[in-house]
Amino acid sequence: MTILLLKIVGALALLMFGMKTMSDALQKMAGPQLRHVLGTMTTNRVTGILTGTFITSAVQSSTATTVMTVSFVNAGLLTLAQAISVIMGANIGTTLTAWIMSAGFSFNITDFVWPAFFIGIILIYSKKRKLIGDFLFGISFMFLGLGTLRQTGIDMDLGHNQAILDFLGTFDPNSFITTITFLLIGSVLTMAVQSSAAIMAITMILCSTGVLPIYQGIALVMGENIGTTVTSNLAALTANTQARRAAMAHMLFNIFGVIWILCLFKPFINVVCGWAGYDVDMQKSSPDFLANAAKLSFVLAAFHTAFNVSNTLILVWFIPQIEKLVTLIIKPKANKDEDDFRLRFIQAGIMKTPELSVLEAQKEIASFSERIQRMFGMVQELMGETDDDKFIKLYTRIEKYEGISDNMEIEIAKYLNQVSDAHLSDETKEKVRAMLREISEIESIGDSCFNIARTLNRKKSIKQDFTDDQYTHIHQMFALTDDALSHMNVMFIHSRDNIDVNRSFNIENEINNYRNQLKNENINDIEEGLYDYNLGTMYMDIIQECEKLGDYVINVVEARMGTRQREA
């Protein structure tokens, strides 16, 4: 018995590993296209549901769909209402997993996995078809795990195991309390194992061997639906408000479904059993009992689909109300000082796959870039500040932003390095390299902003002031530099095809030409005695720093567009 139990544990591990490998490979093959579909095909609740169903069926991971959905909500590309409709569709799409498992329990599928392993290993060593090889390995491991579970269940002869029969005999199969008990067991096991698929497999073993009655088996399945949403809510605890609201909507959707199914429990299940050709009233003494019980894996898959489809058809009309409810339940976190260092989009426990992590990192870099432009705005404000106390306060704030800039570069780089440790597609590897370049150059922009602030502080300490012409020239240079930063930030929220890169290069040329003009004028003004050499040096330090800042902006643009890096 110990060996058989170890085989079950090992088979479950194979099943979970196979599903993850298969899902990761599918996301790598179709990740960018799926993100595009998600961003463009959720114009109303119906297309949102269809999109969620399609993507989850394609990648075999409702978690991946939910992560993409939440990240699009964060980016402002989807409303919370649209996200809820996609999550409803993801619930329908994830039922395909139950049908695949049902096929694995219906006949011995392990005979087919060995050729798939052989083809998979050949493809893995082929660079162009490596992801197809990964997919074949993943699905083969999954079916090998399912086949092993099926055979182990037969070998254990659970239908004649007196200890298990005695334990289950302590529950009254007709009692509502028994149904609730099994529902809670399903929820707790799913939270503990972190895989509803694994618990579904165990449920199919128990039901198809005739040990567990169909009503208790379906109670376990309903518990799995709740358990998997509790897991996502726990993972979202450290996330932002919209992510937590989306996770809460997922939980409310499944809890509501469980409540109304409990009100129509036996009639609903009897209808599903009728579709599947399963005789609910057949006794164990019947010679056809085991053949009848063998249909139970199919019944469980059919129930899972009927439950999610019915629940969606009911709740699709109440999406605005669900949105209001989760907004009422999940209040925004207390506003922190915007000067505090914190990452907005990269959240521990939310990202599950490297391909999707890159999307989160890209939004974090866009946020980093916006913060740096705010820092430059403070520098412009500092130049016009005449009150000593306000000047010191603003200078201290700029100094704090410079520290934040350093920390953001380190944290985003650390995150990207963790992502690069995983198996990535060539396209994603190139994106990670480009993003590492981007954060390095954005941090250099922060350094330039602080250098300008230090120069202004030095000027204030020597009790000298720029001439009106110098102020006019600095303001004009600041305007050009701010324009360059604005265009850089626009670039982060648009696709490459919609970016006018020449605009950035034109601004940079204007900055360079203006710097050269002011450099020559500065020498003449010092010679004519309009101001002394020390003040002229500080004046040109500001102008030169703006020109350097413009070079860093161009380096970010080139990294974003995938062109060669420019020397500052």
Side-chain angles (χ1 to χ4, degrees):
M1 181 59 74
T2 303
I3 296 296
L4 291 175
L5 287 174
L6 289 175
K7 282 182 74 174
I8 285 181
V9 172
L12 286 172
L14 265 183
L15 171 68
M16 293 163 67
F17 176 75
M19 289 198 68
K20 185 179 187 309
T21 303
M22 179 182 70
S23 176
D24 286 354
L26 285 166
Q27 288 176 59
K28 288 169 190 173
M29 285 190 283
Q33 289 78 11
L34 292 177
R35 289 197 290 271
H36 176 71
V37 168
L38 185 58
T40 57
M41 287 184 62
T42 51
T43 51
N44 57 59
R45 64 188 76 181
V46 176
T47 56
I49 290 169
L50 293 175
T51 302
T53 304
F54 165 71
I55 292 179
T56 307
S57 300
V59 299
Q60 280 298 290
S61 172
S62 58
T63 300
T65 306
T66 304
V67 166
M68 281 192 283
T69 304
V70 168
S71 60
F72 272 78
V73 173
N74 289 342
L77 300 176
L78 288 181
T79 64
L80 182 59
Q82 288 172 323
I84 292 170
S85 69
V86 174
I87 289 169
M88 287 181 176
N91 265 28
I92 297 174
T94 198
T95 62
L96 180 61
T97 304
W99 288 103
I100 293 172
M101 296 176 77
S102 173
F105 276 93
S106 299
F107 57 92
N108 188 5
I109 204 163
T110 54
D111 292 339
F112 299 95
V113 303
W114 309 115
F117 274 128
F118 178 70
I119 296 168
I121 197 66
I122 293 173
L123 294 175
I124 281 176
Y125 284 100
S126 165
K127 188 174 181 181
K128 290 184 179 178
R129 296 178 178 83
K130 187 176 189 305
L131 292 176
I132 299 175
D134 286 343
F135 168 74
L136 280 176
F137 253 69
I139 201 166
S140 298
F141 275 125
M142 184 181 74
F143 280 131
L144 182 60
L146 285 172
T148 306
L149 281 172
R150 172 182 177 273
Q151 189 56 48
T152 306
I154 294 170
D155 294 343
M156 291 179 78
D157 193 18
L158 295 174
H160 296 92
N161 187 308
Q162 199 56 45
I164 293 177
L165 293 174
D166 289 343
F167 171 74
L168 293 174
T170 59
F171 296 98
D172 179 1
N174 297 313
S175 167
F176 182 71
I177 300 225
T178 298
T179 302
I180 296 296
T181 302
F182 276 85
L183 190 148
L184 292 173
I185 290 171
S187 299
V188 172
L189 286 176
T190 303
M191 284 187 283
V193 179
Q194 297 277 300
S195 171
S196 57
I199 306 304
M200 175 69 84
I202 292 172
T203 306
M204 285 184 174
I205 288 178
L206 293 173
C207 287
S208 60
T209 52
V211 174
L212 191 65
I214 182 61
Y215 298 118
Q216 280 71 64
I218 283 177
L220 282 176
V221 171
M222 291 195 299
E224 291 154 19
N225 276 274
I226 294 176
T228 193
T229 63
V230 171
T231 302
S232 63
N233 272 271
L234 291 174
L237 284 177
T238 58
N240 60 36
T241 303
Q242 292 295 71
R244 290 183 293 128
R245 285 173 177 168
M248 178 58 69
H250 192 195
M251 176 181 276
L252 293 177
F253 174 83
N254 281 4
I255 288 176
F256 175 81
V258 167
I259 289 171
W260 74 259
I261 284 288
L262 286 174
C263 296
L264 303 170
F265 192 59
K266 289 198 174 180
F268 188 88
I269 293 172
N270 290 341
V271 169
V272 174
C273 290
W275 291 342
Y278 174 77
D279 186 352
V280 181
D281 300 318
M282 186 176 290
Q283 300 299 315
K284 288 189 177 181
S285 56
S286 171
D288 297 325
F289 176 75
L290 288 179
N292 190 48
K295 298 177 184 176
L296 279 174
S297 62
F298 180 75
V299 173
L300 290 172
F303 169 80
H304 199 208
T305 301
F307 166 74
N308 283 295
V309 170
S310 302
N311 206 23
T312 299
L313 289 175
I314 293 170
L315 289 179
V316 67
W317 311 106
F318 299 98
I319 287 177
Q321 287 75 20
I322 296 172
E323 182 181 18
K324 287 178 183 175
L325 181 58
V326 295
T327 303
L328 193 65
I329 296 171
I330 306 289
K331 301 289 186 185
K333 292 179 181 177
N335 287 330
K336 298 180 182 177
D337 182 358
E338 69 170 6
D339 293 351
D340 288 345
F341 166 65
R342 67 188 189 280
L343 299 179
R344 293 175 55 199
F345 297 102
I346 295 173
Q347 301 286 352
I350 287 294
M351 299 316 302
K352 299 295 181 183
T353 62
E355 299 288 326
L356 296 176
S357 300
V358 170
L359 183 64
E360 296 303 295
Q362 187 63 67
K363 289 203 301 299
E364 197 66 68
I365 293 172
S367 173
F368 185 14
S369 180
E370 288 171 8
R371 191 187 286 259
I372 287 297
Q373 187 169 13
R374 285 203 303 274
M375 183 181 180
F376 185 72
M378 293 176 211
V379 172
Q380 295 182 78
E381 188 181 340
L382 186 72
M383 192 178 72
E385 188 56 68
T386 54
D387 183 274
D388 288 348
D389 290 338
K390 289 181 179 178
F391 184 94
I392 292 168
K393 186 176 180 181
L394 189 55
Y395 178 79
T396 303
R397 191 179 179 202
I398 293 169
E399 188 174 27
K400 185 175 182 180
Y401 258 64
E402 203 278 331
I404 290 172
S405 167
D406 292 342
N407 286 332
M408 287 195 76
E409 180 194 16
I410 291 167
E411 291 302 316
I412 297 172
K414 191 186 298 180
Y415 183 75
L416 287 171
N417 284 330
Q418 288 173 352
V419 172
S420 8
D421 287 340
H423 178 182
L424 302 176
S425 64
D426 291 340
E427 181 187 359
T428 305
K429 285 178 185 174
E430 192 58 42
K431 283 182 184 174
V432 169
R433 280 193 290 269
M435 286 191 284
L436 287 169
R437 281 176 55 190
E438 288 167 16
I439 59 173
S440 173
E441 299 298 338
I442 292 172
E443 193 278 330
S444 295
I445 294 172
D447 289 342
S448 286
C449 290
F450 185 51
N451 287 339
I452 296 172
R454 288 168 63 189
T455 301
L456 292 171
N457 188 46
R458 195 166 76 248
K459 175 187 73 71
K460 193 171 185 65
S461 67
I462 63 171
K463 306 296 183 184
Q464 282 186 291
D465 204 4
F466 293 133
T467 66
D468 289 343
D469 283 343
Q470 284 177 317
Y471 270 119
T472 300
H473 297 152
I474 291 172
H475 280 303
Q476 287 175 347
M477 181 60 91
F478 277 178
L480 285 171
T481 307
D482 194 59
D483 196 15
L485 288 168
S486 296
H487 195 262
M488 178 181 75
N489 282 322
V490 167
M491 175 192 67
F492 279 114
I493 58 175
H494 289 88
S495 66
R496 295 185 182 187
D497 296 337
N498 297 326
I499 298 170
D500 180 11
V501 122
N502 290 327
R503 173 68 179 145
S504 290
F505 284 103
N506 290 338
I507 297 170
E508 168 62 6
N509 286 333
E510 286 186 62
I511 291 174
N512 288 341
N513 293 335
Y514 197 45
R515 184 274 313 263
N516 293 337
Q517 175 192 329
L518 296 179
K519 189 175 181 181
N520 293 329
E521 288 179 2
N522 180 60
I523 294 171
N524 293 333
D525 290 344
I526 292 172
E527 288 175 351
E528 292 175 11
L530 296 179
Y531 45 81
D532 63 23
Y533 183 82
N534 188 29
L535 191 66
T537 301
M538 286 186 283
Y539 164 62
M540 281 313 297
D541 282 347
I542 293 172
I543 299 299
Q544 296 276 23
E545 209 62 58
C546 285
E547 191 278 330
K548 271 202 253 180
L549 195 154
D551 285 339
Y552 297 137
V553 169
I554 289 297
N555 287 340
V556 173
V557 171
E558 289 181 340
R560 171 77 170 151
M561 301 305 294
T563 54
R564 65 178 180 80
Q565 186 169 8
R566 175 192 177 98
E567 293 297 327

